Amino acid sequence: MARDSEFLALDDRALRAVIGPNSRHVALIEDAFKVLIESPGGGVSINGGARDRANAKAVIAGLIQRAEKGAEINEADVRAGIGAARGGGKGAHSTDPMALPIGKRGAIVPKTNAQARYLETLASCELTFGVGPAGTGKTFLAAAYGASLLRRGQVDRLVITRPAVEAGEKLGFLPGDLNEKVDPYLAPIWEALNDILGAEDVQRRRDKGEIEAAPIAFMRGRTLSHAFIIVDEAQNTSRLQMKMVLTRLGEGARMVVTGDPSQIDLLNPRDSGLAHALKILKDVKGVGVLAFEAQDVVRHAMVERIVRAYDADAARGRPAPDLEDPSER
């Protein structure tokens, strides 16, 4: 295959995004497509076979697009772009993805097509289910979208809830007030919100009651109006808990339910409220479902490989637990 060179003119900001710290981004692209990328001044030169150059150029174009939206570019963005190019565009973000201009380190822009569709679903549906493996950004983007609504005054409160089945004991036996009891189970949410809004803003909003966290059990009997509700780790809710929390929606409220159906910690996996809700609500008006896959993992390259290995193991004859109630068959 003939090897040739192609030059892309870039401004300083785009050039920094493409090259990355210590030329790390360029190195990842070069290794993925067996090209040589140089920066002779005013842009980058891509040297290699025609197909490899086209793939590398597609990744670089995606990074430039994200940089122009104000996003901070990191290795996860580069890996997502590489995966999209290898898949012939599958997994790539849309040509004009929604951006949330609230990130502490820059705008938050979806890294994959699934993430872009997830944000679009959050914007268009009153109830959204975001399901899939760890590292796909489903919880982070839910927190980012909720924070954006809160900052724009489109909701009065951000309410976060999740089951605490991992504790192996009742919350009442744990020391401290409600926040101190619940916070350990909501660490991923707090980390996301601190990264998005900054720790001081998050604490100030918690003190004012604009951001509230509570275990699933504390949702009973409430009506949540003009709020954005995040139900995290929903695979560990029972069917009764799921019905209860879904019916807390009040006037002007929206809800997102996140979870991984393959990571159920309940003693009886068949009682998972998430699997049941997905089955009976998927065609209900106002409900949106976005299912992430292994290719959408953006946390770390190793996480994607781990997820794929487990998926392959299941496909070899170790099916996931039957989540249906035998009485329904």
Side-chain angles (χ1 to χ4, degrees):
M1 180 181 292
R3 298 179 66 84
D4 208 337
S5 176
E6 185 171 356
F7 182 79
L8 299 177
L10 304 175
D11 60 28
D12 289 343
R13 180 176 182 177
L15 186 59
R16 288 195 300 271
V18 171
I19 294 176
N22 301 316
S23 300
R24 178 58 179 165
H25 297 173
V26 164
L28 288 171
I29 299 170
E30 288 180 328
D31 184 62
F33 301 115
K34 309 307 177 188
V35 295
L36 174 64
I37 300 176
E38 300 174 308
S39 51
V44 294
S45 175
I46 309 172
N47 303 275
R51 183 174 180 179
D52 291 330
R53 290 200 319 273
N55 285 333
K57 183 178 179 181
V59 176
I60 290 171
L63 298 180
I64 294 170
Q65 183 184 58
R66 294 179 59 78
E68 289 175 345
K69 288 182 175 290
E72 180 186 30
I73 308 301
N74 54 39
E75 289 186 25
D77 299 301
V78 181
R79 289 196 300 270
I82 290 170
R86 283 173 168 166
K90 185 179 180 181
H93 53 69
S94 59
T95 55
D96 187 21
M98 178 189 298
L100 302 175
I102 61 168
K104 190 174 62 173
R105 295 196 299 265
I108 295 171
V109 182
K111 301 178 187 296
T112 67
N113 186 50
Q115 288 193 352
R117 288 186 284 114
Y118 185 43
L119 286 182
E120 292 166 0
T121 304
L122 289 170
S124 61
C125 296
E126 295 159 290
L127 172 60
T128 297
F129 288 89
V131 296
T136 51
K138 56 187 183 293
T139 298
F140 179 84
L141 287 177
Y145 186 76
S148 71
L149 295 182
L150 186 62
R151 288 188 63 173
R152 293 198 302 266
Q154 293 181 258
V155 296
D156 297 333
R157 287 181 296 165
L158 177 57
V159 180
I160 306 148
T161 186
R162 70 181 291 185
V165 299
E166 299 92 338
E169 55 185 328
K170 295 185 181 297
L171 287 171
F173 290 100
L174 299 178
D177 61 19
L178 178 60
N179 284 334
E180 291 171 326
K181 295 174 190 288
V182 175
D183 277 1
Y185 306 108
L186 295 171
I189 296 284
W190 296 132
E191 290 172 4
L193 288 173
N194 288 340
D195 192 46
I196 295 161
L197 298 174
E200 291 184 3
D201 191 22
V202 170
Q203 188 59 55
R204 179 178 62 82
R205 292 180 184 274
R206 291 187 70 179
D207 293 341
K208 292 172 62 179
E210 293 180 2
I211 298 179
E212 174 190 350
I216 289 284
F218 284 71
M219 294 292 105
R220 189 174 301 279
R222 301 182 61 184
T223 299
L224 301 173
S225 302
H226 305 291
F228 186 78
I229 305 114
I230 299 174
V231 183
D232 194 37
E233 296 292 339
Q235 74 275 3
N236 289 326
T237 61
S238 68
R239 295 189 183 195
L240 289 176
Q241 286 177 322
M242 179 61 77
K243 179 181 178 182
M244 180 272 291
V245 76
L246 292 178
T247 54
R248 298 309 93 197
L249 278 168
E251 181 182 356
R254 307 174 80 87
M255 181 181 290
V256 57
V257 179
T258 66
D260 181 355
S262 71
Q263 295 293 319
I264 299 172
D265 296 316
L266 298 173
L267 293 177
N268 179 12
R270 292 183 176 85
D271 192 38
S272 172
L274 178 60
H276 182 246
L278 288 170
K279 182 172 66 174
I280 67 174
L281 298 178
K282 61 182 180 180
D283 296 322
V284 172
K285 182 180 179 181
V287 174
V289 179
L290 198 293
F292 293 93
E293 301 176 5
Q295 68 188 32
D296 301 309
V297 173
V298 295
R299 181 178 293 168
H300 191 289
M302 178 58 73
V303 177
E304 178 182 358
R305 294 195 290 271
I306 291 170
V307 171
R308 289 189 183 279
Y310 273 90
D311 287 348
D313 181 64
R316 284 194 295 267
R318 297 179 178 86
D322 184 358
L323 301 181
E324 292 188 11
D325 188 332
S327 65
E328 298 179 352
R329 294 175 180 167

